[in-house]
Amino acid sequence: MTKTPYNIKNINQGENKINSIKTIIPRHIAIVMDGNGRWAKAKHRPRLFGHHQGVETVRNIIKMCNSIGVECLTLFAFSSENWNRPKEEVNGLMKLFMMALEKEAKSLAKNGVRLEFIGDRSAFSTSLQKKIAQVEALTASGEGLHLIIAANYGGRWDILQATQKMMQQVINEKSVTIDESAINRLVSTAHLPDPDLFIRTGGERRISNFLLWQLAYTELYFTDVLWPDFTRDELQLAIDDFSNRQRRFGMTGEQIKDKKNA
Ligand code: IPE
Ligand code: IPE
Ligand code: MG
């Protein structure tokens, strides 16, 4: 299904300065926030210092997305493979998630941001699981930005858990139609539009098991800027780049132009 991006003319620009009227605001932006470790290393500081600074970037990017009318922002915070990191780093990250949730919950709610986690949260400590559920409940009625944090998330896990649910349906209901929309209804982003724009900071050109199913027709944007240095201006550059793309969804460029002019 083709998703129609919002036109800048139709949204409240808020505090953000957008000078080109041709800017197209993606409905859904998905970001692999990479480069915290290298950022810290360059400053001769421990990796966790980079992760702490990364949270500051998260705060700024959420604010900007909320003010320019992005509907959904999905942030890759911890992959199912990140458990393989040194124990000290994993523990530090878990503490940081807890701290950030405690610190930011009220202001997210105040600003109408609806927070939701995707991924297998059963691997987290009971206290972190409780905190996640608490903040999700506190922000559930938010009507602004829908913020999705992918934590202990893997794209293959997502497809696998959808398949398992489908198998269960087959067992329970005997006749089940297995098609694309059936999978769409069972992946963890079932209630969201597919991402329009994927951003990866930190210089690597890979997906690293992020939203494999959902990125089928997403525009990909890679930047060498490390996540702690990813400013609002950097996000604006990504959105400008996105605005200049022609999304064809398998059609020809002429067909797309004809559709626009129709
Ligand atoms: C991304 O930054 C954050 C997480 C994976 C939690 P990295 O920690 O991967 O930073 P680099 O890639 O080592 O610089
Ligand atoms: C991807 O970054 C995961 C997150 C940003 C949470 P990584 O730094 O873990 O990715 P790889 O291992 O370099 O592919
Ligand atoms: Mg990395």
Side-chain angles (χ1 to χ4, degrees):
M1 206 180 19
T2 312
K3 308 283 171 9
T4 317
Y6 287 137
N7 190 291
I8 186 66
K9 283 185 235 159
N10 301 332
I11 59 119
N12 177 3
Q13 293 184 22
E15 62 187 277
N16 184 49
K17 284 188 220 99
I18 290 177
N19 30 38
S20 156
I21 76 151
K22 276 199 212 126
T23 301
I24 295 169
I25 302 296
R27 274 185 81 184
H28 185 171
I29 301 179
I31 308 184
V32 176
M33 311 182 287
D34 197 19
N36 294 348
R38 278 163 287 161
W39 183 88
K41 196 173 174 198
K43 296 189 156 36
H44 310 286
R45 302 292 299 266
R47 293 179 58 84
L48 276 169
F49 179 67
H51 294 315
H52 277 262
Q53 197 56 40
V55 174
E56 298 303 313
T57 304
V58 168
R59 190 182 296 120
N60 289 332
I61 296 306
I62 291 172
K63 266 195 200 158
M64 173 159 166
C65 286
N66 202 20
S67 70
I68 64 174
V70 172
E71 249 179 77
C72 311
L73 172 68
T74 301
L75 300 176
F76 205 4
F78 192 85
S79 76
S80 40
E81 289 72 33
N82 287 146
W83 296 108
N84 296 323
R85 293 194 174 195
K87 217 175 159 192
E88 192 193 334
E89 182 170 349
V90 172
N91 290 343
L93 281 167
M94 294 301 140
K95 272 193 196 150
L96 182 60
F97 294 152
M98 190 74 174
M99 263 170 48
L101 284 171
E102 272 166 3
K103 204 169 150 208
E104 304 298 331
K106 276 196 190 135
S107 113
L108 291 174
K110 196 177 120 219
N111 290 301
V113 176
R114 174 152 58 110
L115 180 81
E116 184 195 353
F117 273 67
I118 57 168
D120 181 6
R121 61 179 80 178
S122 69
F124 296 136
S125 69
T126 321
S127 52
L128 183 54
Q129 288 184 51
K130 267 194 194 156
K131 181 50 75 185
I132 290 172
Q134 223 178 54
V135 184
E136 282 179 335
L138 180 77
T139 61
S141 59
E143 290 185 348
L145 177 72
H146 190 169
L147 173 65
I148 300 101
I149 304 290
N152 193 21
Y153 178 88
R156 288 183 174 176
W157 164 83
D158 204 359
I159 296 168
L160 177 67
Q161 64 80 31
T163 311
Q164 287 167 337
K165 281 183 195 154
M166 198 149 48
M167 286 306 293
Q168 202 53 52
Q169 285 177 358
V170 172
I171 293 166
N172 296 345
E173 297 162 35
K174 302 288 184 284
S175 103
V176 169
T177 311
I178 297 176
D179 56 10
E180 256 188 47
S181 59
I183 299 180
N184 275 331
R185 282 195 298 274
L186 293 169
V187 287
S188 55
T189 54
H191 50 306
L192 309 170
D194 282 343
D196 300 291
L197 172 61
F198 163 99
I199 299 173
R200 180 170 187 144
T201 62
E204 312 296 352
R205 268 73 174 154
R206 54 179 174 251
I207 307 285
S208 297
N209 200 15
F210 197 23
L211 302 157
L212 298 179
W213 174 265
Q214 297 86 341
L215 293 174
Y217 257 110
T218 303
E219 295 298 325
L220 307 179
Y221 179 88
F222 298 95
T223 169
D224 292 338
V225 174
L226 305 171
W227 179 248
D229 290 331
F230 192 76
T231 56
R232 290 168 179 230
D233 286 348
E234 293 294 339
L235 177 58
Q236 186 60 58
L237 286 179
I239 293 176
D240 288 347
D241 190 86
F242 169 82
S243 302
N244 287 321
R245 310 260 182 113
Q246 187 188 47
R247 303 186 75 187
R248 290 195 282 275
F249 299 99
M251 287 179 273
T252 65
E254 285 67 31
Q255 282 177 297
I256 300 294
K257 274 190 200 136
D258 290 348
K259 261 191 158 188
K260 259 193 181 164
N261 297 332

